[in-house]
Amino acid sequence: MNSLLKSKVIAILDRKGQSVNTRLQEVCEMLKAEIPHYDWVGFYFRNGEKEELKLGPYAGAPTDHTIIPFGKGICGQVAVSNANFVVPDVSAQDNYIACSITVKAEIVVPLFVNGKNIGQIDIDSNTPDPFTAADERFLEFVNLEVSKIL
Ligand code: SME
């Protein structure tokens, strides 16, 4: 991913006059608009002390899955594995929560604050097998920058 996108992320997150939620929302919208294979972009965060994720800011079609128990779906698995999960073909996954029939692939990257997995960024793509190591490194960068304002 190019450095222009990275500087756009940094610029949005640096808008200290805006709430964290507004800045995260704008990051989601910018990534969705700028990256052709990003069709839904959102953040999930641990819901307090509960063993579940709660949907935060996102860009794309509304989803029914605003609460996801730990272990369920791609997102719930990343909440317990602490590892990136790249899914080239969602139809090949047993433990998957479908949000839209148009989605072909998904990537979820955990977000750490002080070494603790507190949430994740989740991207859905309508393109089959679109994600590479470059997406993983870029989304790790996004989450690292986000962790600095949480
Ligand atoms: N597909 C995800 C659910 C979240 S939606 O993609 C927005 C999953 O399996 O966890």
Side-chain angles (χ1 to χ4, degrees):
M1 298 293 164
N2 62 44
S3 53
L4 179 62
L5 276 180
K6 287 187 174 178
S7 56
K8 284 188 176 186
V9 170
I10 288 171
I12 292 169
L13 293 176
D14 198 40
R15 292 176 192 157
K16 296 185 179 66
Q18 294 181 344
S19 71
V20 167
N21 269 3
T22 299
R23 285 180 269 172
L24 295 186
Q25 175 79 44
E26 290 186 9
V27 166
C28 291
E29 280 164 15
M30 187 275 289
L31 296 180
K32 180 176 182 293
E34 298 284 340
I35 305 176
H37 60 288
Y38 287 16
D39 293 295
W40 190 94
V41 180
F43 289 95
Y44 282 91
F45 292 101
R46 184 169 186 176
N47 192 11
E49 288 302 307
K50 295 185 187 164
E51 301 275 294
E52 64 183 30
L53 295 163
K54 186 176 180 196
L55 182 61
Y58 69 94
T63 172
D64 290 339
H65 305 291
T66 54
I67 298 283
I68 298 179
F70 278 18
K72 281 227 28 176
I74 308 305
C75 296
Q77 291 177 78
V78 169
V80 291
S81 72
N82 306 321
N84 297 349
F85 199 155
V86 180
V87 182
D89 173 7
V90 295
S91 73
Q93 292 291 319
D94 291 333
N95 190 357
Y96 169 70
I97 303 167
C99 280
S100 155
I101 52 161
T102 61
V103 174
K104 299 283 196 296
E106 179 163 4
I107 183 171
V108 178
V109 173
L111 200 166
F112 299 98
V113 173
N114 298 326
K116 216 175 146 208
N117 180 351
I118 58 101
Q120 52 194 238
I121 190 166
D122 176 20
I123 318 284
D124 283 340
S125 183
N126 298 338
T127 305
D129 195 7
F131 300 115
T132 68
D135 293 282
E136 290 190 70
R137 298 297 87 75
F138 176 65
L139 295 170
E140 287 164 0
F141 165 84
V142 171
N143 281 354
L144 182 63
E145 293 303 315
V146 168
S147 74
K148 296 175 185 172
I149 68 160
L150 295 179

